[in-house]
Amino acid sequence: RVASVCSGAYVLAEAGLLDGRRATTHWGRTRDFVARYPKVKFEPDQIFTRDGNVWTSAGITAGIDLALAMVTEDQGEEIAQQAARHLVLYHRRSGGQSQFSSLLELKTPNGRFGALLSWARENLDAPLTVEDLADRAGMSARHFARAFAAETGTTPS
């Protein structure tokens, strides 16, 4: 099998190994990659892809996800879980999520939502609905959505 991590997908694409295959690379390279390699079935919102014996990952840390998936395939679920636990990692992040988190990119405002955003970052394993966030902020969902957008420049969802 062949694998690439992050922008290493360019090397595989140049070699023609990705023609007609699903692949991904770092989200910051999407536009350039798609323009250069139209024969590749590019999947911009995948952490990693596997198409036959060719694997590609979105970024450096996504390469760890890819490696754990390979370990699972080769050695089984238990060994992959042990490896993830040893590395203090989630065993399996969903491959269908966006490669970057809008919440993590959002600047924490100094205003009234700073503590809420800090709390949300620490609780990403729970469903964080607009209603839940509004309740935690002590506001109605509608008022919270307007105030949050005004202060942060983006919607809470």
Side-chain angles (χ1 to χ4, degrees), residues 30-132:
T30 297
R31 189 173 298 144
D32 179 64
F33 192 89
V34 169
R36 286 183 190 221
Y37 307 107
K39 294 179 182 177
V40 176
K41 297 176 185 173
F42 189 72
E43 297 194 5
D45 289 331
Q46 296 297 306
I47 292 173
F48 67 87
T49 62
R50 176 186 182 190
D51 192 329
N53 67 339
V54 179
W55 301 59
T56 57
S57 78
I60 300 299
T61 57
I64 297 170
D65 296 297
L66 182 149
L68 285 170
M70 288 177 163
V71 170
T72 299
E73 181 175 283
D74 294 350
Q75 303 296 320
E77 191 78 21
E78 186 177 329
I79 298 295
Q81 286 178 357
Q82 289 174 8
R85 192 170 27 257
H86 182 75
L87 294 170
V88 191
L89 299 168
Y90 285 111
H91 170 234
R92 184 175 297 133
R93 289 190 297 168
S94 171
Q97 296 180 33
S98 290
Q99 296 173 20
F100 59 93
S101 169
S102 299
L103 178 61
L104 295 176
E105 286 193 343
L106 189 62
K107 294 177 185 165
T108 303
N110 295 325
R112 62 182 153 176
F113 297 119
L116 177 67
L117 287 171
S118 294
W119 175 84
R121 285 184 184 97
E122 294 169 8
N123 290 279
L124 293 175
D125 58 334
L128 299 175
T129 66
V130 173
E131 290 77 15
D132 293 335

